[in-house]
């Protein structure tokens, strides 16, 4: 049993991780989360109080972070500003949270000699052409495109420097696009599902040819646990489940599962600098740590996700109107 400090545990992937830890381990969890527009305490509802403690606070505030890190065995750092579209309109919070927040956390982990795991994204590697036979590996050079991905790249480099210069006991994982329950309705898959539930046509950026490499959030969680348990300190592990799909195919799948004509969507203005394709080679994680994904059937994963959004309207409705109003302003 270990005491885990999970930053961003009221967000999409962090809350899925907390549920996964409670179900599959005997670890104790403290969640540190600022509850920005993207954080939702309802995502942690029903978890046992003797296993999960919640602290509201900012990771960039050393006075909050320091005692929590001191009282933990492992810090797992999910908290971030996470949405590319937001970063194109208001980059500043991305620097404050993703760069300064990570700096404050690794300073505390260094001071107290704690194991640290940094959650990052495949977007730090930039994008691939549609017909490129290569996929991202741990050796791919960093080449981020957006304010979001450049701040994530910056945070990864800080962690690497703290490992080398100060002996920080850290690992890093870079995962591909996640889907599943508790994802904010600003993101692609929940936006389209909740649009269809509201009688709004799904919105595809540009031609919809862009490819994302989808993984279920539970597979991301099991990979992170494997890295914490068996990963080599100082190493980076890519996490992916061979789930490449273009956006048009995903929208058609959602529409079909929801009983609509497969072409009942609109094309809207493209995202500036829109990355064309992400694809992960997760051989290192699989070969070294024996990890493999369990939710490999995207079709049934999407069906279960649709059911979750249909049955949990109280969870997402409060955010929906404001999210769509923002997109309408942006022509998206
Ligand atoms: P999210 O936006 O759903 O959740 C982020 C959480 O962090 C929220 O609960 C928010 O309140 C909290 N937070 C933000 N700023 C904070 C601050 N200053 N202090 C404390 N808490 C703060 O994001 P997500 O999609 O769950 O992503 C989680 C992590 O996983 C991020 O680091 C992201 O870069 C990474 N990641 C995401 C994906 C994906 O597909 N969503 C893929 C790979 C990696
Ligand atoms: O309405 C939409 N229509 C559309 O076509 C939205 C919201 C998105 N898209 C496209 C843009 C992308 O090609 O769908 C794809 C996925 O978009 P997002 O859900 O915004 O994800 P992405 O930009 O790929 O980034 C995600 O994966 C990597 C997460 O948001 C990041 O936090 C993570 O690092």
């Amino acid at each position: 049993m270990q005491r885990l400090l999970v930053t961003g545990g009221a967000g999409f992937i962090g809350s899925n991780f907390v549920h996964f830890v409670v179900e599959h381990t005997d670890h104790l969890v403290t969640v540190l989360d600022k509850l920005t527009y993207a954080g939702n305490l309802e995502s942690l509802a029903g978890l046992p109080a003797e296993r999960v403690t919640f602290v509201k606070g900012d990771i960039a505030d050393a006075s909050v972070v320091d005692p929590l890190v001191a009282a933990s065995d492992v810090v797992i750092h999910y908290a971030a500003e996470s949405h590319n579209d937001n970063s194109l309109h208001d980059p500043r919070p991305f620097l404050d949270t993703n760069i300064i927040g990570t700096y404050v956390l690794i300073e505390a982990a260094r001071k107290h000699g704690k194991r640290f795991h940094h959650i990052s994204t495949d977007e730090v590697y930039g994008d691939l052409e549609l017909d490129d036979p290569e996929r991202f590996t741990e050796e791919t050079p960093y080449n981020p495109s957006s304010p979001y991905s450049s701040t994530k790249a910056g945070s990864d480099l800080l962690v690497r420097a703290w490992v080398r210069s100060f002996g920080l006991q850290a690992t890093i994982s870079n995962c591909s696009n996640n889907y599943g329950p508790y994802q904010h309705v600003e993101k692609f898959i929940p936006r389209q599902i909740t649009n269809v539930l509201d009688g709004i046509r799904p919105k595809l950026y540009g031609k919809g040819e862009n490819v994302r490499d989808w993984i279920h959030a539970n597979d991301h969680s099991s990979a992170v646990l494997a890295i914490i348990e068996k990963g080599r300190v100082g190493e980076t592990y890519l996490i992916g489940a061979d789930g490449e799909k273009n956006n048009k195919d995903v929208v058609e799948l959602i529409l079909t599962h929801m009983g609509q004509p497969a072409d009942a969507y609109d094309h809207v203005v493209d995202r500036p600098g829109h990355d064309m394709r992400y694809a992960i080679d997760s051989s290192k994680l699989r070969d070294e740590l024996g990890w493999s994904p369990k939710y490999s059937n995207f079709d049934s994963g999407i069906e279960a996700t649709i059911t979750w959004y249909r049955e949990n309207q109280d969870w997402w409705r409060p955010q929906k109107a404001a999210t769509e109003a923002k997109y309408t302003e942006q022509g998206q």
Side-chain angles (χ1 to χ4, degrees):
M1 189 272 287
Q2 290 188 304
R3 297 165 301 167
L4 311 184
L5 177 63
V6 177
T7 74
F12 163 46
I13 308 177
S15 64
N16 274 283
F17 179 74
V18 176
H19 283 274
F20 196 88
V21 164
V22 167
E23 198 176 331
H24 296 279
T25 76
D26 60 358
H27 301 319
L28 300 178
V29 177
T30 298
V31 169
L32 170 60
D33 197 297
K34 189 180 171 181
L35 296 181
T36 66
Y37 79 96
N40 190 344
L41 262 187
E42 290 302 314
S43 305
L44 299 171
L47 289 168
E50 63 278 14
R51 298 282 306 280
V52 181
T53 308
F54 180 80
V55 178
K56 183 170 189 280
D58 189 334
I59 56 163
D61 181 347
S63 70
V64 175
V65 163
D66 195 80
L68 292 174
V69 171
S72 66
D73 300 310
V74 186
V75 181
I76 305 156
H77 174 31
Y78 286 93
E81 285 294 335
S82 69
H83 194 36
N84 276 301
D85 292 327
N86 291 344
S87 81
L88 294 163
H89 293 92
D90 183 16
R92 178 64 195 242
F94 289 75
L95 280 94
D96 292 337
T97 289
N98 301 0
I99 302 280
I100 302 297
T102 300
Y103 157 74
V104 168
L105 282 163
I106 55 181
E107 276 292 82
R110 161 162 92 112
K111 179 174 157 195
H112 297 290
K114 301 296 179 172
R115 178 79 171 79
F116 188 85
H117 182 70
H118 180 61
I119 301 291
S120 192
T121 168
D122 59 359
E123 297 191 20
V124 300
Y125 300 113
D127 63 350
L128 299 160
E129 297 296 331
L130 291 180
D131 59 357
D132 192 333
E134 297 300 314
R135 298 188 291 169
F136 299 139
T137 73
E138 288 77 4
E139 273 70 51
T140 304
Y142 274 36
N143 187 27
S145 312
S146 74
Y148 162 68
S149 53
S150 60
T151 58
K152 290 300 290 187
S155 67
D156 293 11
L157 297 181
L158 290 175
V159 175
R160 289 185 182 192
W162 260 240
V163 169
R164 174 152 175 171
S165 300
F166 305 123
L168 182 73
Q169 301 289 296
T171 40
I172 299 175
S173 55
N174 297 80
C175 189
S176 61
N177 284 62
N178 286 222
Y179 75 97
Y182 303 113
Q183 186 168 29
H184 194 280
V185 292
E186 70 188 355
K187 302 298 196 314
F188 178 53
I189 287 177
R191 183 183 184 204
Q192 313 314 339
I193 293 172
T194 55
N195 274 357
V196 176
L197 288 172
D198 272 354
I200 305 170
R201 286 162 69 91
K203 311 291 179 206
L204 263 186
Y205 293 176
K207 290 189 192 150
E209 286 171 346
N210 307 65
V211 169
R212 297 295 182 262
D213 189 353
W214 294 101
I215 181 172
H216 193 279
N218 280 346
D219 282 332
H220 189 177
S221 295
S222 66
V224 169
L225 276 180
I227 295 166
I228 292 163
E229 283 160 18
K230 298 180 272 184
R232 284 182 293 139
V233 162
E235 293 292 317
T236 288
Y237 296 89
L238 263 54
I239 305 174
D242 301 332
E244 283 188 67
K245 299 262 177 301
N246 76 33
N247 294 338
K248 188 167 162 289
D249 288 346
V250 174
V251 159
E252 288 177 356
L253 184 68
I254 290 170
L255 283 162
T256 306
H257 274 306
M258 298 184 76
Q260 303 290 318
D263 61 354
Y265 58 81
D266 295 328
H267 291 280
V268 294
V269 60
D270 207 352
R271 174 184 284 172
H274 196 174
D275 280 340
M276 186 49 80
R277 171 173 162 245
Y278 307 136
I280 290 267
D281 177 348
S282 57
S283 305
K284 178 178 173 181
L285 177 68
R286 293 173 194 239
D287 297 347
E288 219 179 82
L289 307 187
W291 173 85
S292 60
K294 302 253 172 324
Y295 296 78
S296 313
N297 187 333
F298 186 70
D299 202 293
S300 60
I302 284 292
E303 212 174 356
T305 305
I306 292 169
T307 302
W308 190 87
Y309 280 90
R310 205 192 290 283
E311 290 176 354
N312 289 277
Q313 305 208 12
D314 289 351
W315 183 88
W316 58 265
R317 282 228 169 267
Q319 305 140 2
K320 182 65 180 170
T323 303
E324 285 307 310
K326 202 150 93 180
Y327 276 127
T328 303
E329 230 172 76
Q330 294 164 196
Q332 293 178 319

